[in-house]
Amino acid sequence: MPCGQMHNRVAKAASFPLAHNALALFGNNRGADRMSFFKKLKDRMFKSSSKLEEGLDALVEDGADAAEDSEPQAAPAPKPQAEPGLLGRVMGGGAPRRVLDDDMLESLEDLLIAADMGVETAGRVAANLAEGRFGRKMSVPEIKSALAEEIARIMEPVAKPLPLYPARPQVVLVVGVNGAGKTTTIGKLASQFRAAGKSVMIAAGDTFRAAAVEQLQVWGDRAGVPVMTAPEGSDPASLAHDALSRAKAEGVDLLMIDTAGRLQNRTDLMEELAKILRVLRKLEPDAPHNTLLVLDATTGQNALNQVEIFRKLADVSGLVMTKLDGTARGGVLVALADRFGLPIHAIGVGEQIDDLQAFDPEEFAQALVGGELSAKQDDS
């Protein structure tokens, strides 16, 4: 897409009153519902957080044992100290501590790489954590708190709601590899938009996969949303054209278009997506208004390759990360934010409609390290 067209798209979105149109899924819907989702997020990201916590426990305990072994035997006995209070215990009072030195930083960086943050991002997080803390003794709770702070800092700039536009219909093109969760994501989004009072239409554009079409029809029936289909093997661009024509005629608010994700034949896929874009823009020059890339967290670092590929195939405007509940590779989302800076609109942790929610950097960071939301975050 030409730079001018992208600029116009951004300008139009910025001038539209988002506060009255954004859905709970993509807005700052805090309070009881958000706290409930954080608990679910933390519970279902246990594979990621437990892997990190176990590594930190071993890292600190090994270092603390080594420090004790190296201390002179005739050292004077320390003065008796009062037992740490509740706050002290939460923040590591009485827990094993290790000096944050070069060896520990290197081990910490290796631990973050193992959590699928990638070499560059892991190095950046470790270096930022060391600022103002190098040479200090730190406990596991203190390290987790510092890690969550640095992770949230990286992810804060990309935590953005899906921009809504005055265009009717607003065309949302959904791309991603087969199996990433595109159809399920479309179904959940359609259900949530519909529940918020928006009229929605779905185009089952992956015409070569009958299962994907059937799945969208089930979601459409469940949400009361019409799903346009075509015979198996039909031209997806022709379906996209018919769907947009019908959506315009009926005054539909949002048209969501599913697409194929056959990366094993990248040339055909590129041509197919390019044709869909050409056809849509004949009817609506600014379409698609959003191009969402759905990524599967279980693929780990391969998700970075998928972003590289789909940025070339389509003008990706934002990300949705699914299946965070089934992997120990949750750190890859930090790497994606750090490397590409693309907006992350939502994350998914299960199969239910409300298992897809707006991305919140503080919540994600705390869930990733197995931490807790502070009172300020809870009440905000």
Side-chain angles (χ1 to χ4, degrees):
M1 174 182 291
C3 293
Q5 190 171 4
M6 174 60 77
H7 175 75
N8 291 338
R9 174 190 292 185
V10 173
K12 290 177 182 178
S15 64
F16 196 53
L18 296 180
H20 300 293
N21 294 278
L23 303 185
L25 170 64
F26 292 117
N28 291 323
N29 181 31
R30 309 292 295 177
D33 290 342
R34 294 301 296 163
M35 193 60 194
S36 174
F37 182 71
F38 171 72
K39 292 177 180 177
K40 182 188 297 184
L41 177 65
K42 182 179 177 181
D43 178 59
R44 296 187 182 177
M45 285 186 65
F46 177 75
K47 290 183 179 179
S48 292
S49 62
S50 62
K51 181 179 179 181
L52 191 57
E53 283 185 290
E54 289 169 5
L56 288 174
D57 285 338
L59 181 63
V60 172
E61 288 176 5
D62 290 348
D65 291 342
E68 289 176 3
D69 293 341
S70 64
E71 288 180 359
Q73 296 298 317
K79 295 180 180 180
Q81 293 183 354
E83 288 292 319
L86 175 61
L87 181 60
R89 289 195 298 272
V90 171
M91 293 307 296
R97 293 172 179 270
R98 178 175 176 178
V99 174
L100 186 61
D101 55 15
D102 288 331
D103 288 342
M104 183 177 174
L105 279 175
E106 184 176 346
S107 298
L108 179 60
E109 189 173 335
D110 290 341
L111 193 59
L112 297 177
I113 292 172
D116 263 81
M117 282 193 196
V119 175
E120 291 184 7
T121 302
R124 185 171 292 110
V125 171
N128 290 346
L129 186 145
E131 289 185 14
R133 301 181 180 95
F134 193 80
R136 281 173 42 190
K137 283 189 174 183
M138 298 186 70
S139 65
V140 170
E142 289 170 336
I143 296 172
K144 285 168 57 176
S145 177
L147 277 176
E149 181 182 326
E150 296 304 332
I151 290 169
R153 184 180 302 173
I154 287 175
M155 308 199 79
E156 182 70 36
V158 302
K160 298 178 181 179
L162 180 75
L164 297 180
Y165 299 84
R168 294 184 67 185
Q170 177 169 335
V171 181
V172 181
L173 190 69
V174 184
V175 300
V177 300
N178 291 341
K182 291 195 305 296
T183 53
T184 301
T185 298
I186 290 171
K188 291 175 182 177
L189 293 180
S191 295
Q192 295 196 27
F193 279 125
R194 185 75 180 86
K198 298 290 184 180
S199 57
V200 184
M201 182 181 293
I202 297 172
D206 191 355
T207 59
F208 292 90
R209 283 205 309 146
V213 175
E214 292 170 0
Q215 190 177 11
L216 281 177
Q217 288 176 316
V218 170
W219 277 105
D221 291 342
R222 189 183 303 173
V225 170
V227 179
M228 288 197 64
T229 64
E232 187 172 352
S234 298
D235 180 13
S238 177
L239 174 63
H241 177 278
D242 293 345
L244 180 52
S245 297
R246 177 181 166 185
K248 288 172 74 74
E250 297 181 6
V252 170
D253 292 319
L254 288 113
L255 170 62
M256 307 192 71
I257 303 175
D258 190 17
T259 60
R262 304 179 304 278
L263 286 187
Q264 66 271 22
N265 195 337
R266 200 175 303 173
T267 301
D268 285 354
L269 179 59
M270 183 182 299
E271 292 175 355
E272 184 176 303
L273 289 173
K275 185 176 181 182
I276 290 174
L277 294 177
R278 287 197 305 271
V279 167
L280 290 174
R281 287 169 185 165
K282 286 181 180 178
L283 294 174
E284 174 57 57
D286 290 332
H289 303 91
N290 315 92
T291 301
L292 301 184
L293 172 57
V294 179
L295 298 167
D296 176 356
T298 65
T299 61
Q301 287 292 297
N302 189 45
L304 279 75
N305 298 330
Q306 293 175 29
V307 174
E308 291 278 14
I309 292 169
F310 277 99
R311 289 180 79 186
K312 296 175 182 177
L313 297 178
D315 184 30
V316 174
S317 61
L319 306 177
V320 175
M321 176 67 81
T322 67
K323 306 183 185 180
L324 281 164
D325 54 317
T327 183
R329 297 175 168 181
V332 69
L333 196 56
V334 187
L336 287 166
D338 188 39
R339 180 167 172 179
F340 298 107
L342 285 168
I344 300 173
H345 298 313
I347 55 175
V349 292
E351 294 298 321
Q352 300 304 311
I353 291 175
D354 61 357
D355 288 337
L356 183 73
Q357 290 286 337
F359 174 68
D360 183 286
E362 288 82 11
E363 292 178 356
F364 175 82
Q366 291 291 351
L368 181 62
V369 303
E372 297 290 345
L373 288 180
S374 67
K376 181 179 179 179
Q377 292 165 338
D378 187 3
D379 295 337
S380 61

